[in-house]
Amino acid sequence: MRTYLVTGGAGFIGSNYIHYMFKKYGDSIRIINVDKLTYAGNLENLRDVENLPNYSFVRADICDSEAIVNIFEENDIDRVVHFAAESHVDRSIKDPGVFVRTNVLGTLTMLNAARNAWELPDGTYPEDKKFLHVSTDEVYGSLSNPEDYFYETTPYDPHSPYSASKASSDFMVKAFMDTYHFPANITNCSNNYGPYQFPEKLIPLMINNALHGKALPVYGDGKNIRDWLYVEDHCKGIDMVQEKGRLFETYNIGGHNERENIQIVKTIIAQLREALSDEDPRKAAVSEDLIKYVEDRKGHDRRYAIAPDKIKAEIGWYPETCFEEGIKKTIRWYFDHEEWMAHVTSGDYQKYYEDMYANRG
Ligand code: NAD
Ligand code: TYD
């Protein structure tokens, strides 16, 4: 039985990945989820797997080298899938320090622990040991020419403290591969959306605000472009890279689905209106009148767009869920999980929202 160590599995993509893997491999794999449970980590995301005999949870900080080394000593880990990170650009602008700590130093702790556990005396590694570092397209910076795309060969040009910390962590993984022949891959994915996403990010924030009749804060002119991918397609890509990809390679993951932010917001409004029954009191408030253009994000990248040619050609990955279907599924999920949303937006969230949006004008 292959054992996976998943970091950050209580967050948005990590929890979707754990669900995806159990659905695909059932009891032929074992997953250990290590997560610090920051504001973004939520064990409610894993309710339906928490009692599985082949799942276990360890609450630990990835910067805590002793805790991480213990996990490797107590378990024969075959695969590491490393999601744990601080992931929100706006928070990184307010407080870059924790991004460097978790994203850079935490990644180094994971790499050191895996290398120490796996490296053989002659400097080689057993064949089935692999580390996958989950990264972002934001490391490539912002595209200005509409014909351009991010390829694996595009030079890194990060602008936000978040993307700079992810770029640093990618370079550390690359350094381990080059220096120690450490068996790893890096994936750089575009913006994800889907179930269990914390409502600080564009799509769940807009769904939640619209359902509460609250203003929909669009930064700047609303014309910044992101390339959206349904989270399950990202999870499929990660698994395929570990199973079929060439070691030491980077793969970009994205589904050619570029949209301006304002288009996303208008689509959400239209889809919510379609999904809400005429009797639902929330329906009257859901309209484009809620859109409010607010002060732009500092250093706001204009356009991201992934060229997924390599992962398609080498591995045969392709996205299965188009945006129209994905956004419907996502809205349906948030409708069916009102309690989840109520829990994650109680307490600290209100303060966060106030701090982040009160002075935006
Ligand atoms: P998230 O913020 O929803 O989840 C992050 C998880 O990591 C949380 O469960 C949190 O508790 C945990 N964590 C944070 N600091 C930790 C620490 N010091 N020790 C242990 N656990 C810690 O993030 P996400 O959106 O699921 O992103 C997961 C990964 O995917 C990140 O590495 C991110 O950079 C990358 N990524 C995200 C997107 C996206 O659109 N969300 C796109 C491409 C790549
Ligand atoms: P976000 O979901 O934070 O992802 P990222 O910054 O990592 O791409 O933001 C997506 C886009 O939406 C980005 O261009 C910023 C914009 N945005 C808003 O216009 N309003 C908001 O309230 C948020 C959270 C984001």
Side-chain angles (χ1 to χ4, degrees), residues 11 37 94-95 126 165 167 173 177 205 215 254 265 293 303 308 325 342 351 358:
L37 299 182
K94 287 217 163 197
D95 180 13
S165 68
V173 178
M177 294 194 279
L205 184 143
V265 174
Y293 289 92
R303 172 172 166 253
E325 189 194 337
K351 188 177 175 316

Side-chain angles (χ1 to χ4, degrees), residues 7 12-14 17 80-87 99 103-104 107 111 131-141 150-152 154 156-158 160-174 177 184-192 227 229 231 233-235 237-238 241 249-254 304 306 311:
T7 72
F12 163 48
I13 308 176
Y17 172 80
V80 175
V81 183
H82 176 38
F83 294 96
E86 289 292 335
S87 68
F99 283 73
N103 300 1
V104 186
T107 298
L111 291 166
F131 187 108
L132 190 140
H133 176 61
V134 180
S135 191
T136 165
D137 61 356
E138 303 193 25
V139 298
Y140 298 121
F150 295 141
Y151 290 88
E152 288 78 359
T154 302
Y156 275 30
D157 183 23
S160 72
Y162 164 65
S163 54
S165 68
K166 291 297 290 188
S168 310
S169 66
D170 292 11
F171 282 132
M172 194 56 79
V173 178
K174 286 173 201 269
M177 294 194 279
N185 287 102
I186 299 173
T187 53
N188 294 88
C189 189
S190 62
N191 284 62
N192 284 215
D227 184 357
L229 184 71
V231 62
D233 281 321
H234 184 189
C235 297
I238 289 169
V241 166
E249 292 289 319
T250 288
Y251 292 90
N252 284 355
I253 310 182
Y304 300 146
I306 283 273
I311 191 169

